[in-house]
Amino acid sequence: VDQFGLSLAQPGIGPGGHCIPEDIHYVIQKAHSAGVDTNFLASAARLNDGMPAYAVESLEKILQADGRSLQDMKIGLAGLSYKPNVGDMRRSPAIEVAKILHGKTTLLVHDPYIEDSIIQDEVANVLIASGIEELLEKVDVLFVASAHAAYLEYFSAKKLKKHNVRYVLDGRNCLDRDAIVAAGIVYRGIGQ
């Protein structure tokens, strides 16, 4: 199953890379030209394309429920690649999340697999953390956009609490939700 990328078919901020997002549009075009009803596929493509904005709206709702807003928060965006443990940002939904948040709040980004200059090319003038530790030290909200192994190891409830992270939006549903909630941190995963 994993060889065909079907393990990617899980709730999150959306697929990325050069295949999945483009292939669905290609299939829609070919099916439509053959007279096949493509409404289901077109709906799926629209849903995927809208996931970055949906994730940011979810974060806004979490904050509003607590009497806060994006403008009041410092947000750390962990990961810009579309896939864990690589530096590939092609059609990454995390880039769209970064662009949306960059215009609404103080945003600090980090990705251990992507050079700072490449990040700046995608999201001009964004603040870049020098490491995972700095990312957590400087933010109120952690938005996990890539499920890098380093993040899975480092973003424990204990470390989040130590650094006074108050909110977590887990855009890849990769963190220990129960432990984070038990530590008194507001947690939201996509599709949960």
Side-chain angles (χ1 to χ4, degrees), residues 6-113:
L6 295 177
S7 65
L8 295 175
Q10 54 188 321
I13 61 171
H18 64 288
C19 293
I20 294 172
E22 291 175 17
D23 285 353
I24 190 74
H25 294 290
Y26 174 78
V27 170
I28 291 168
Q29 177 189 15
K30 288 296 183 185
H32 187 66
S33 66
V36 176
D37 182 0
T38 60
N39 287 334
F40 175 72
L41 292 174
S43 294
R46 279 193 304 277
L47 180 69
N48 283 339
D49 293 344
M51 287 309 293
Y54 171 80
V56 172
E57 288 171 15
S58 293
L59 178 57
E60 287 179 301
K61 288 177 183 175
I62 294 166
L63 296 173
Q64 288 170 355
D66 208 20
R68 301 192 178 273
S69 70
L70 283 176
Q71 294 80 10
D72 301 334
M73 299 283 111
K74 293 178 183 161
I75 298 177
L77 183 63
L80 291 171
S81 63
Y82 78 91
K83 180 172 149 181
N85 307 319
V86 298
D88 194 341
M89 295 190 310
R90 289 178 289 180
R91 294 185 56 108
S92 174
I95 297 298
E96 292 308 310
V97 167
K99 288 176 180 177
I100 295 167
L101 287 174
H102 189 44
K104 294 184 173 195
T105 189
T106 302
L107 179 65
L108 184 63
V109 301
H110 176 265
D111 195 304
Y113 295 96

Side-chain angles (χ1 to χ4, degrees), residues 80-191:
L80 291 171
S81 63
Y82 78 91
K83 180 172 149 181
N85 307 319
V86 298
D88 194 341
M89 295 190 310
R90 289 178 289 180
R91 294 185 56 108
S92 174
I95 297 298
E96 292 308 310
V97 167
K99 288 176 180 177
I100 295 167
L101 287 174
H102 189 44
K104 294 184 173 195
T105 189
T106 302
L107 179 65
L108 184 63
V109 301
H110 176 265
D111 195 304
Y113 295 96
I114 302 171
E115 294 178 24
D116 293 357
S117 61
I118 294 172
I119 294 171
Q120 288 292 341
D121 287 345
E122 290 293 328
V123 188
N125 301 315
V126 72
L127 301 173
I128 301 171
S130 62
I132 298 173
E133 186 84 18
E134 181 185 14
L135 182 74
L136 289 186
E137 284 175 358
K138 294 187 173 183
V139 301
D140 309 299
V141 178
L142 177 65
F143 189 127
V144 180
S146 299
H148 295 318
Y151 295 158
L152 303 183
E153 292 173 23
Y154 198 83
F155 296 152
S156 67
K158 184 177 179 181
K159 288 219 171 123
L160 295 171
K161 186 81 170 169
K162 173 188 166 198
H163 289 290
N164 296 315
V165 172
R166 294 187 256 169
Y167 306 91
V168 171
L169 189 120
D170 188 352
R172 294 298 179 188
N173 297 310
C174 60
L175 302 182
D176 185 345
R177 176 191 186 280
D178 294 337
I180 292 169
V181 170
I185 299 166
V186 177
Y187 173 96
R188 171 80 48 89
I190 300 297

